[in-house]
Amino acid sequence: MPRVKIGLKYQLEYLSILDESGEADTSLDPDLSKEQLLKFHHAMLLSRRFDEYMLKLQRQGRIGTFAPVKGQEAAQIGAVANLEDDDWLVPAFRETAAAIWRGTPLSGMLLYNAGYNEGGRIPDEQNDLPIAIPVGSQIPHAVGIAYGCRYQDTDRVALTFFGDGATSEGPFHEALNLAMLFETPTIFVCQNNHWAISTPRDRQTRSETIAQKAIAYGMPGIQVDGNDVLAVYCAVREAVQRARDGDGPTLVECVTYRMEVHTTADDPTRYRDEEQVEQWAKRDPIERLQKYLKHKEMLTDEDIEKDEKEIEQTVKQAWQDTKEQIDALSDASVIFEYLYAGRPPYLEEQREGFVGGQDNG
Amino acid sequence: MPRVKIGLKYQLEYLSILDESGEADTSLDPDLSKEQLLKFHHAMLLSRRFDEYMLKLQRQGRIGTFAPVKGQEAAQIGAVANLEDDDWLVPAFRETAAAIWRGTPLSGMLLYNAGYNEGGRIPDEQNDLPIAIPVGSQIPHAVGIAYGCRYQDTDRVALTFFGDGATSEGPFHEALNLAMLFETPTIFVCQNNHWAISTPRDRQTRSETIAQKAIAYGMPGIQVDGNDVLAVYCAVREAVQRARDGDGPTLVECVTYRMEVHTTADDPTRYRDEEQVEQWAKRDPIERLQKYLKHKEMLTDEDIEKDEKEIEQTVKQAWQDTKEQIDALSDASVIFEYLYAGRPPYLEEQREGFVGGQDNG
Amino acid sequence: MAELTMSEALNLALREAMDGDDDIITLGEDVGVNGGVFRITDGLLDRFGDKRVLDTPVAETGIAGMAIGLAIYGLKPVCEIQFSGFSYMAFNQIEAHASRMRWRSRGRFHVPIVFRMPFGAGVHALEHHSESKETIYAHIPGLKMVIPSGPRNARALLISAIRDPDPVIFFEHKALYRAFREEVPDEEETLPLGESRTAREGTDLTIVAYGAMLHRALEAAEKLAKEDGAEAEVIDLISLSPLDDSRFTESVRRTGRMVVVHEAHRSFGPAAEIITRLMEKSFYYLEAPVERITGYDIQVPYFAREQDYLPSVERILDGCRRALNT
Amino acid sequence: MAELTMSEALNLALREAMDGDDDIITLGEDVGVNGGVFRITDGLLDRFGDKRVLDTPVAETGIAGMAIGLAIYGLKPVCEIQFSGFSYMAFNQIEAHASRMRWRSRGRFHVPIVFRMPFGAGVHALEHHSESKETIYAHIPGLKMVIPSGPRNARALLISAIRDPDPVIFFEHKALYRAFREEVPDEEETLPLGESRTAREGTDLTIVAYGAMLHRALEAAEKLAKEDGAEAEVIDLISLSPLDDSRFTESVRRTGRMVVVHEAHRSFGPAAEIITRLMEKSFYYLEAPVERITGYDIQVPYFAREQDYLPSVERILDGCRRALNT
Ligand SMILES: Cc1ncc(C[n+]2csc(CCOP(=O)(O)OP(=O)(O)O)c2C)c(N)n1
Ligand SMILES: Cc1ncc(C[n+]2csc(CCOP(=O)(O)OP(=O)(O)O)c2C)c(N)n1
Ligand SMILES: [Mg+2]
Ligand SMILES: [Mg+2]
């Protein structure tokens, strides 16, 4: 066998169910219940409007920098919809839609974006990690958590989100390798939104797909239309099932698009063509789902309008709540909290100095 | 195209030319000149004997810990034989055979292993980096150097060695991705010697081959019989050619075996079966090459004996030289050298204190 | 003479340096098309092309490691690490290779790299975007560590850092990027690394500071003069490594009192070294315990409370008064 | 009571802790089948199985990151980083996540991880295997940093570190692993983190040290007693963070003189913080400048000259004499 081809175990696939006009491939349509589908729709719409509202607040100087989610709602909702409440979610920093689905209060997110550490607290019982900012650094956490799930003989899983940019970082690589070695029930969901700040996808890596990076670990990988909530749902469902069954991790690449600025500190006109954005606008995940739902006669324009109104109220109320929370926040000496379980003497001295208005050595 | 297979650009191959009995696949035999082949043989044999000698010195307490190369001579010589003098070599820490080929004086290596920093100096004009100990950390250097080669419009290339263990580290991943993006003339040579200290290859990663990790970067990859100097030579020749032609990097996996201890601080009886070692002994790269050369009537037992004697002399002489070098080394205040181009005042104070036998603040 | 902000001055320095030397290559995340998230590399891609201005993927270890390779080859890379808080991703490359290559190779190779990194709090940024962990770099032999305090010295220091034959960690304070303008001479200017400067003369007390805190120290000094009639000498350290201990030592020999200000965490922070050097060199001149006014030993709070973390002018002033009144 | 080496005592501690608590998981390179390159985890795989003792690939970031995940889930991971010199590969995980998870989540999550790492010079090891960069970890809020000095306290401290609800960097000095045996009680023993101990009582001078240097300090103290008739009090710091500044401060109030010894680099090293704390708390008691006897500001030389780098008993003794005679 001097010069022979090596057969690879896994065949990569691309999955798409809803086309751009909202037509579903009937052989693949998961035929979800109306209730389930409307829940998807509501979460995606709420996420979109909340995002837009935050952008306005930021432009008015009421909150600080944040990373808009616009365009990626299907990739997030389709994925997390497969999780049970006590499964684990390990987000990066752009997972507003996922956080909403999981139950993070809007006011908490606003509080965080208004610059208060208190906003970072995830409600008890909600197994979500706080926002992780260093790109790719959260990915290994989903391996450890998933290991814990198996170690304690539960069938819980851990799902982690990250971007196309994150796949260039070492922690991505180390984490996927570890997950395969220990067969952890981890679902690695890459939201390939085509940009890492100003770096386009094809300058991030030369692999034709992100999904094929799974091959480096002998891991199954799949690429899906990330603006198609049904495709994302089905691909992640398979991955979650595999994980629950003890068959280890999966890499799911959701091909989507960042429709907004990278963060509110960013000016994309410096580096990208509006035309590309417009092209992607035609593949908008929410519109696509709406067409599908209308076609299935599960949703009418009046329903949407009603939902929009309700959402408007919810979002405004959240900001009201946040403002009240801010007013009620105790004095700034909370900055000395949560460093350790207890406060060591030197830190207590510093706190006392701070409270007393004088530096303590 | 709802659920479709994704075609991958590169097809992985496995290359082997010399079988275990030293028989070459005639369709693949590169038909190297006798002179070239004997040079391979001499370098591999010298490397083997030098390694054995160092092991003895270490056991006698004359030198410190080092990482024996035994078994990996073909993987190293077959690879570096493709380099021109002014190409660049970026080694890890087990590349004794490669270093010998490139011209590093044996006495320098001994001096290094005897614990003197002076031994780390690579002769001027030899474009080799010093030993790099943090696993995988040297790999990105070969990307930067190779970029420099192209930037200055030369057709020089950079070849880097690393182990199977190193492929689990982040820097491996980041480096290969960068190399593809900038199309640097880098040859990534993995010596898969089946062990990373006590961790066997199949507990290092679940990918069936190391070569397939190239797919993650859209990079060509190939797996070769690493104990077959002709196969290694041919695979790396292709990779070097591709690099010189401006067609970017390649990952070459050499499947070989670490026949000795990991380092002299290691006791492999704790974790590996002698039987496996014996199996691999049958595939010894030097014996295999000798059989091939005898078959081709390029080498006789007498030639070997003569070579062995000469090598014995060379190695002993090297140790003599090293001992003399050690005796001639100037006082220990050299430890204050080579931190910076100049010596900042506080460091000069420390040096003066050291020389004067008293601590300076 | 042009009136430039620090970000413009840094941009100028890069342009000037690269104009004069084809060996200089700039690389990092978003440094090309986007001109850097703080626009420090703005216009460089157009001027120098994509062989000299490299937009990299998100891979700090790779960036630093590739830069080390470039430098070994003989080029002079200037890396932008997008924020100092992400430099830890590349820490192994900096500690294990950049700082040691000259030493490990006994001078055969050396690595003239500048690692530029925005650092510091005060601009309402996100977590990890407000760090001041210069101590970590200052402690590592083989590295230099420079922190400019304004447009003019930033430009001069960056040129010097690029020409320096050794690796330089170059911390740029985000709050200074656009804080004020300063005359920057048209002709090229450099400043030696490892030399501090006197930012204000005084006789009663010595304040040592650097980066953005220098300006708070100066403000405190003015107040002190006005309100207490005491004249503080203010030293701008500029280089943490090599640390120039002669200027502040000499100053304290005259003033007898010292306050050290930085926004890095207090414990095991730069002030400790400065105070110890002083004690070693001028113990008997000290008339009162040295005060250190620093960031606390806590993570920098999110932006609503970041000012609570930072040494305020008031805190510095209090420290000065304690030093003066004991 | 058994007479154990420090490596045996650490092994005992791991066994005891894991026996009593199924949530404890050990992971790292070569910790399973091979029992660790220093055999600290010897026998654990057999006793606890491969679900609790994980042989990992060579991936420090992955190991640390996975451990953080394990800890968030509710387990108590003990990671072995094979040598502290390689911990920089995981530095981002430690700085950005381990140290901050409690803080970032406002107490919702915390990460009771022990990062065990052999450190220090003196055993004829290779480059990167002789580092003492504890300063880096001691400077980071949210981490604890512990350094035992012998078998008995190593065992007690490791158990305490494992039970501690916060991340602990646990530096084990390689030169102490097999240096001597000490009685280790059969019944479990713990020691509070953040408390130093008096290793020798004295009245004329205070020496502060830790790790392997503690033993050189003690030797110097004995010589000083014999040759100069001066009695040094020797404080073993044990914890660098939280730093217990009360014991050495109290001691110097009695002795008036202090020498700080460590093998970490001098500049921006631990001695600076210790000296500064002392100055802040006991300035007026100091009768002479504090001496610091430390590793130099150079990389640790290869082993033929590593002793030239390390503080020798002679250097410590000289420092004591200078402190006594000024
Ligand atoms: C380690 C690190 N380096 C750099 C940054 C700055 N940064 C923030 S987001 C980002 C791009 C991330 O791209 P991607 O992973 O695709 O996620 P996306 O922003 O598209 O959601 C960069 C470089 C960071 N946060 N962390
Ligand atoms: C970053 C880092 N972690 C751990 C070590 C300790 N170590 C030295 S060699 C080695 C195994 C390396 O395996 P591999 O890459 O296959 O190379 P080989 O030893 O087989 O040549 C380890 C873990 C190290 N040197 N560097
Ligand atoms: Mg992206
Ligand atoms: Mg190996």
Side-chain angles (χ1 to χ4, degrees):
Chain A
M1 39 163 260
R3 182 143 195 160
V4 293
K5 303 210 156 152
I6 297 173
L8 291 170
K9 212 160 99 202
Y10 292 103
Q11 176 61 50
L12 283 185
E13 291 180 327
Y14 175 83
L15 178 65
S16 145
I17 297 176
L18 278 182
D19 68 16
E20 289 177 26
S21 65
E23 211 75 55
D25 182 309
T26 45
S27 68
L28 294 168
D29 189 332
D31 286 322
L32 297 176
S33 71
K34 179 176 171 187
E35 189 197 346
Q36 177 81 325
L37 288 165
L38 290 181
K39 209 176 148 200
F40 285 9
H41 176 258
H42 176 75
M44 287 165 68
L45 201 60
L46 171 55
S47 160
R48 175 72 56 92
R49 299 301 170 237
F50 182 56
D51 205 56
E52 290 164 350
Y53 192 79
M54 286 203 288
L55 200 56
K56 243 181 358 208
L57 289 175
Q58 196 279 337
R59 296 309 185 205
Q60 295 166 353
R62 288 155 189 258
I63 63 170
T65 317
F66 79 102
V69 69
K70 185 176 174 185
Q72 302 179 211
E73 296 89 350
Q76 295 183 14
I77 299 296
V80 291
N82 288 287
L83 298 183
E84 304 290 329
D85 280 353
D86 49 357
D87 286 325
W88 289 79
L89 179 66
V90 180
F93 47 80
R94 199 187 290 286
E95 279 70 43
T96 312
I100 287 176
W101 179 275
R102 296 280 292 173
T104 310
L106 304 185
S107 61
M109 293 189 241
L110 287 165
L111 193 58
Y112 179 91
N113 287 331
Y116 291 92
N117 290 57
E118 287 87 339
R121 183 170 177 107
I122 304 293
D124 291 341
E125 311 302 321
Q126 185 184 326
N127 284 343
D128 296 11
L129 263 52
I131 280 179
I133 289 180
V135 170
S137 65
Q138 77 283 7
I139 308 176
H141 306 168
V143 179
I145 290 173
Y147 187 93
C149 295
R150 300 272 304 161
Y151 179 72
Q152 294 197 338
D153 285 327
T154 76
D155 64 353
R156 295 303 100 211
V157 303
L159 184 151
T160 182
F161 282 114
F162 50 89
D164 44 318
T167 66
S168 299
E169 290 275 16
F172 162 83
H173 174 72
E174 299 189 20
L176 268 73
N177 194 44
L178 278 164
M180 266 312 282
L181 282 167
F182 295 113
E183 295 178 302
T184 65
T186 312
I187 301 96
F188 297 99
V189 181
C190 178
Q191 296 179 73
N192 167 8
N193 65 2
H194 284 85
W195 294 94
I197 311 186
S198 71
T199 305
R201 158 63 186 83
D202 62 353
R203 295 293 312 160
Q204 191 62 238
T205 179
R206 282 282 159 83
S207 67
E208 298 86 343
T209 66
I210 301 280
Q212 78 198 59
K213 291 179 186 288
I215 295 171
Y217 317 102
M219 189 187 289
I222 183 168
Q223 188 184 53
V224 301
D225 181 341
N227 283 9
D228 169 356
V229 72
L230 298 185
V232 175
Y233 179 80
C234 289
V236 174
R237 185 172 60 181
E238 276 177 28
V240 167
Q241 200 50 55
R242 184 178 292 129
R244 291 207 205 286
D245 290 348
D247 294 330
T250 307
L251 173 61
V252 181
E253 174 189 3
C254 300
V255 181
T256 179
Y257 198 81
R258 195 196 83 206
M259 296 298 293
E260 257 301 342
V261 293
H262 164 69
T263 68
T264 49
D266 174 52
D267 173 10
T269 64
R270 293 179 64 95
Y271 55 79
R272 81 175 173 187
D273 224 325
E274 260 318 293
E275 236 170 77
Q276 199 187 39
V277 184
E278 280 157 29
Q279 285 308 314
W280 277 93
K282 296 185 190 145
R283 303 179 211 166
D284 185 82
I286 297 181
E287 277 176 31
R288 218 194 280 188
L289 177 61
Q290 288 179 341
K291 282 183 197 153
Y292 170 76
L293 289 171
K294 286 180 189 173
H295 187 82
K296 282 203 138 186
E297 301 189 344
M298 290 175 168
L299 190 75
T300 63
D301 282 330
E302 296 76 65
D303 294 337
I304 296 177
E305 206 169 310
K306 198 170 147 246
D307 207 8
E308 291 273 17
K309 283 222 174 95
E310 198 186 304
I311 284 172
E312 198 183 329
Q313 264 320 99
T314 307
V315 168
K316 279 191 181 153
Q317 187 57 49
W319 178 232
Q320 278 308 322
D321 293 350
T322 306
K323 286 193 290 187
E324 279 166 32
Q325 283 175 43
I326 291 174
D327 290 340
L329 283 178
S330 52
D331 70 293
S333 73
V334 293
I335 63 174
F336 291 93
E337 283 174 15
Y338 297 118
L339 269 297
Y340 301 95
R343 194 175 300 124
Y346 68 92
L347 206 51
E348 181 54 23
E349 282 172 31
Q350 291 179 21
R351 196 190 72 83
E352 282 166 13
F354 178 83
V355 171
Q358 91 154 54
D359 258 274
N360 276 359
Chain B
M1 42 162 258
R3 182 145 195 158
V4 293
K5 304 210 157 152
I6 297 173
L8 291 171
K9 212 161 97 203
Y10 291 103
Q11 174 62 50
L12 282 185
E13 291 181 325
Y14 174 83
L15 178 64
S16 144
I17 297 177
L18 277 183
D19 69 15
E20 291 177 26
S21 65
E23 210 74 55
D25 182 310
T26 44
S27 69
L28 294 168
D29 189 333
D31 286 321
L32 297 176
S33 70
K34 179 176 172 188
E35 188 197 347
Q36 176 82 322
L37 288 166
L38 289 182
K39 209 176 150 201
F40 285 9
H41 175 257
H42 175 74
M44 288 165 67
L45 200 61
L46 171 55
S47 161
R48 175 74 54 93
R49 299 299 170 240
F50 182 55
D51 206 56
E52 289 165 350
Y53 192 79
M54 285 203 290
L55 200 57
K56 241 181 359 206
L57 288 176
Q58 195 282 336
R59 296 308 186 207
Q60 293 164 354
R62 288 154 189 260
I63 64 170
T65 316
F66 79 102
V69 68
K70 184 174 175 186
Q72 303 179 209
E73 296 88 351
Q76 295 183 13
I77 299 296
V80 292
N82 288 286
L83 299 183
E84 304 291 328
D85 280 353
D86 49 357
D87 286 325
W88 288 78
L89 178 67
V90 180
F93 47 79
R94 200 186 292 283
E95 280 69 45
T96 311
I100 288 176
W101 179 275
R102 296 280 291 172
T104 310
L106 303 186
S107 61
M109 294 189 239
L110 287 165
L111 193 59
Y112 180 91
N113 287 331
Y116 291 91
N117 290 58
E118 287 87 339
R121 183 171 178 108
I122 304 292
D124 291 341
E125 313 302 319
Q126 186 183 325
N127 284 343
D128 296 11
L129 263 53
I131 280 179
I133 288 178
V135 171
S137 66
Q138 77 284 6
I139 308 176
H141 305 168
V143 180
I145 290 173
Y147 187 92
C149 296
R150 301 272 304 161
Y151 179 72
Q152 294 198 337
D153 284 327
T154 76
D155 64 352
R156 295 304 100 210
V157 303
L159 185 152
T160 181
F161 283 114
F162 49 89
D164 44 318
T167 66
S168 299
E169 291 276 14
F172 162 83
H173 174 71
E174 299 190 19
L176 269 72
N177 194 44
L178 278 164
M180 266 314 280
L181 282 167
F182 295 112
E183 295 178 300
T184 65
T186 312
I187 301 96
F188 297 99
V189 181
C190 177
Q191 296 179 72
N192 167 7
N193 65 4
H194 283 84
W195 293 95
I197 310 188
S198 71
T199 305
R201 159 63 187 82
D202 61 353
R203 296 293 310 160
Q204 191 63 238
T205 180
R206 282 284 160 83
S207 68
E208 299 86 341
T209 65
I210 301 280
Q212 78 198 60
K213 290 180 187 285
I215 295 171
Y217 316 102
M219 188 188 289
I222 183 167
Q223 188 184 53
V224 302
D225 180 342
N227 283 8
D228 169 357
V229 72
L230 298 185
V232 174
Y233 180 79
C234 289
V236 174
R237 184 170 62 179
E238 277 177 27
V240 167
Q241 200 50 54
R242 184 178 293 129
R244 291 208 204 285
D245 291 348
D247 294 331
T250 307
L251 173 62
V252 181
E253 173 189 2
C254 300
V255 181
T256 178
Y257 199 81
R258 194 195 83 206
M259 296 298 293
E260 256 300 342
V261 292
H262 164 69
T263 67
T264 48
D266 175 52
D267 172 10
T269 64
R270 293 178 66 94
Y271 57 78
R272 80 173 174 188
D273 223 323
E274 260 319 293
E275 237 168 76
Q276 198 187 40
V277 184
E278 280 158 28
Q279 284 309 312
W280 277 93
K282 295 186 190 142
R283 303 178 213 166
D284 186 82
I286 297 180
E287 277 176 31
R288 219 194 280 186
L289 177 61
Q290 288 179 340
K291 282 184 197 152
Y292 170 77
L293 289 171
K294 285 180 186 170
H295 187 81
K296 282 202 138 187
E297 300 189 348
M298 290 174 169
L299 189 75
T300 63
D301 282 329
E302 295 77 63
D303 295 337
I304 297 177
E305 204 167 310
K306 198 168 149 249
D307 207 8
E308 291 274 17
K309 282 220 172 97
E310 197 186 305
I311 285 172
E312 198 182 330
Q313 263 320 98
T314 308
V315 168
K316 278 193 180 151
Q317 186 58 48
W319 178 233
Q320 277 309 322
D321 293 350
T322 307
K323 285 193 291 187
E324 279 165 32
Q325 283 174 43
I326 291 175
D327 291 340
L329 284 178
S330 52
D331 70 293
S333 72
V334 292
I335 64 176
F336 291 92
E337 284 174 14
Y338 297 118
L339 269 297
Y340 302 94
R343 195 174 300 124
Y346 67 91
L347 206 52
E348 180 54 24
E349 282 172 32
Q350 291 179 22
R351 196 189 72 83
E352 282 166 14
F354 178 83
V355 171
Q358 91 155 53
D359 257 276
N360 277 0
Chain C
M1 286 282 219
E3 290 251 318
L4 302 182
T5 62
M6 190 168 97
S7 63
E8 289 163 352
L10 289 164
N11 181 260
L12 171 66
L14 284 169
R15 210 169 59 229
E16 287 176 314
M18 290 182 77
D19 263 337
D21 187 349
D22 279 354
D23 289 347
I24 300 172
I25 285 184
T26 292
L27 70 163
E29 296 156 12
D30 309 293
V31 299
V33 179
N34 199 31
V37 294
F38 288 104
R39 309 284 177 255
I40 310 302
T41 54
D42 197 21
L44 298 184
L45 178 66
D46 281 347
R47 193 178 182 99
F48 301 108
D50 67 0
K51 298 275 167 284
R52 294 187 64 193
V53 181
L54 310 189
D55 266 324
T56 66
V58 192
E60 287 77 11
T61 286
I63 295 167
M66 183 172 170
I68 291 166
L70 291 168
I72 289 171
Y73 183 79
L75 302 173
K76 295 179 195 147
V78 181
C79 299
E80 177 171 301
I81 300 291
Q82 205 159 72
F83 289 89
S84 71
F86 306 132
S87 67
Y88 314 128
M89 292 280 210
F91 192 56
N92 175 260
Q93 286 296 328
I94 297 174
E95 194 280 335
H97 295 299
S99 83
R100 295 170 187 250
M101 200 49 79
R102 175 188 290 281
W103 174 85
R104 184 182 298 140
S105 70
R106 305 308 283 174
R108 169 67 204 284
F109 301 113
H110 64 117
V111 287
I113 308 175
V114 181
F115 294 99
R116 293 184 37 244
M117 313 181 189
F119 85 112
V123 300
H124 278 208
L126 292 163
E127 197 192 343
H128 307 283
H129 293 68
S130 304
E131 317 301 312
S132 293
K133 296 211 168 74
E134 54 271 22
T135 313
I136 290 173
Y137 293 109
H139 184 53
I140 297 178
L143 299 179
K144 297 186 177 181
M145 153 99 251
V146 173
I147 308 183
S149 59
R152 184 165 174 176
N153 64 34
R155 183 259 206 146
L157 288 163
L158 183 51
I159 292 184
S160 298
I162 291 172
R163 300 218 179 120
D164 195 274
D166 288 303
V168 179
I169 310 290
F170 196 89
F171 265 34
E172 302 169 2
H173 203 293
K174 289 180 284 290
L176 296 181
Y177 272 144
R178 291 168 180 75
F180 60 97
R181 293 183 175 274
E182 198 176 36
E183 299 255 314
V184 171
D186 294 330
E187 60 284 7
E188 185 190 281
E189 200 178 40
T190 61
L191 270 175
L193 308 186
E195 280 188 24
S196 57
R197 58 182 265 275
T198 305
R200 183 186 196 278
E201 299 199 340
T203 47
D204 302 320
L205 165 80
T206 304
I207 310 180
V208 177
Y210 54 90
M213 289 304 109
L214 174 75
H215 302 281
R216 296 201 176 177
L218 286 168
E219 214 181 310
E222 289 309 318
K223 278 204 169 170
L224 197 66
K226 215 173 285 164
E227 297 173 15
D228 302 41
E231 293 298 336
E233 183 143 306
V234 181
I235 310 272
D236 180 5
L237 274 186
I238 298 175
S239 292
L240 281 192
S241 173
L243 179 63
D244 173 10
D245 54 28
S246 59
R247 186 176 292 266
F248 67 75
T249 302
E250 184 278 326
S251 173
V252 179
R253 287 191 184 189
R254 285 186 281 105
T255 64
R257 292 156 205 278
M258 181 164 85
V259 174
V260 186
V261 185
H262 60 61
E263 61 178 278
H265 307 305
R266 182 183 191 82
S267 292
F268 301 88
E273 179 63 24
I274 293 157
I275 291 168
T276 302
R277 292 272 181 107
L278 181 77
M279 191 215 58
E280 288 171 339
K281 310 218 153 179
S282 289
F283 182 71
Y284 295 104
Y285 295 84
L286 253 186
E287 290 166 33
V290 179
E291 292 284 330
R292 51 176 171 173
I293 310 297
T294 69
Y296 297 110
D297 286 325
I298 61 175
Q299 304 292 355
V300 182
Y302 297 166
F303 71 80
R305 300 195 187 100
E306 65 182 329
Q307 291 300 339
D308 292 311
Y309 168 86
L310 289 174
S312 61
V313 173
E314 268 322 298
R315 276 174 65 194
I316 300 169
L317 205 52
D318 284 353
C320 292
R321 288 178 177 143
R322 279 197 302 278
L324 284 168
N325 298 330
T326 39
Chain D
M1 286 281 217
E3 291 251 319
L4 302 183
T5 61
M6 190 168 97
S7 63
E8 289 163 351
L10 289 163
N11 181 262
L12 171 66
L14 284 169
R15 210 168 60 227
E16 286 176 314
M18 291 182 77
D19 263 336
D21 187 347
D22 279 353
D23 289 347
I24 301 171
I25 284 185
T26 291
L27 68 163
E29 296 156 12
D30 309 292
V31 298
V33 179
N34 198 30
V37 293
F38 288 104
R39 311 283 177 256
I40 309 302
T41 55
D42 197 20
L44 297 184
L45 177 66
D46 281 348
R47 193 176 182 100
F48 300 108
D50 66 0
K51 297 276 166 285
R52 294 186 65 194
V53 181
L54 310 189
D55 266 324
T56 67
V58 191
E60 286 77 11
T61 286
I63 294 167
M66 183 172 170
I68 290 166
L70 290 168
I72 288 171
Y73 183 79
L75 302 174
K76 295 178 196 147
V78 181
C79 298
E80 178 171 301
I81 300 290
Q82 205 159 72
F83 289 87
S84 71
F86 306 131
S87 67
Y88 313 128
M89 291 280 210
F91 192 56
N92 175 259
Q93 286 295 328
I94 297 174
E95 194 279 336
H97 295 299
S99 82
R100 296 171 187 249
M101 199 48 79
R102 176 189 290 281
W103 175 85
R104 183 182 298 140
S105 71
R106 306 307 285 172
R108 168 69 204 284
F109 300 114
H110 64 117
V111 288
I113 308 175
V114 181
F115 294 99
R116 294 184 36 246
M117 313 181 190
F119 86 113
V123 301
H124 277 208
L126 291 164
E127 196 192 344
H128 307 282
H129 292 68
S130 303
E131 317 302 312
S132 293
K133 296 210 167 74
E134 54 271 21
T135 313
I136 291 174
Y137 293 109
H139 184 54
I140 297 178
L143 299 180
K144 297 186 177 180
M145 154 98 251
V146 174
I147 307 183
S149 58
R152 184 165 175 177
N153 63 33
R155 183 258 206 146
L157 288 163
L158 183 52
I159 292 182
S160 298
I162 292 172
R163 299 215 180 122
D164 194 274
D166 288 302
V168 179
I169 310 289
F170 196 89
F171 265 34
E172 302 168 2
H173 203 293
K174 290 180 283 290
L176 295 181
Y177 273 144
R178 290 168 181 76
F180 61 97
R181 292 182 175 273
E182 197 176 38
E183 299 255 314
V184 172
D186 294 331
E187 61 283 7
E188 185 190 280
E189 201 177 37
T190 60
L191 270 176
L193 309 186
E195 281 187 25
S196 58
R197 56 182 267 275
T198 305
R200 183 185 196 278
E201 300 199 341
T203 47
D204 302 319
L205 165 80
T206 304
I207 310 180
V208 177
Y210 54 89
M213 289 303 109
L214 175 75
H215 301 282
R216 296 201 175 176
L218 287 168
E219 214 180 312
E222 289 309 318
K223 278 204 171 171
L224 196 68
K226 215 173 284 165
E227 297 173 15
D228 302 42
E231 292 299 336
E233 182 142 306
V234 181
I235 310 272
D236 180 5
L237 274 186
I238 298 175
S239 292
L240 280 193
S241 173
L243 179 64
D244 174 9
D245 54 27
S246 58
R247 186 176 292 266
F248 67 76
T249 302
E250 184 279 325
S251 174
V252 178
R253 287 190 183 189
R254 286 186 279 105
T255 64
R257 292 156 203 279
M258 181 164 86
V259 174
V260 187
V261 185
H262 59 61
E263 61 179 278
H265 308 306
R266 181 182 192 84
S267 291
F268 301 88
E273 180 62 24
I274 293 157
I275 291 168
T276 302
R277 292 273 181 106
L278 180 77
M279 190 215 58
E280 287 171 340
K281 311 218 153 179
S282 289
F283 182 69
Y284 296 103
Y285 295 84
L286 255 187
E287 291 165 32
V290 178
E291 293 284 330
R292 50 176 172 174
I293 310 296
T294 69
Y296 297 110
D297 286 325
I298 61 175
Q299 304 291 355
V300 182
Y302 297 165
F303 71 80
R305 299 194 187 102
E306 65 182 331
Q307 291 300 339
D308 293 310
Y309 169 85
L310 289 173
S312 61
V313 173
E314 268 322 299
R315 276 174 65 195
I316 301 170
L317 205 51
D318 284 352
C320 292
R321 287 177 178 145
R322 280 196 303 278
L324 283 167
N325 298 331
T326 40

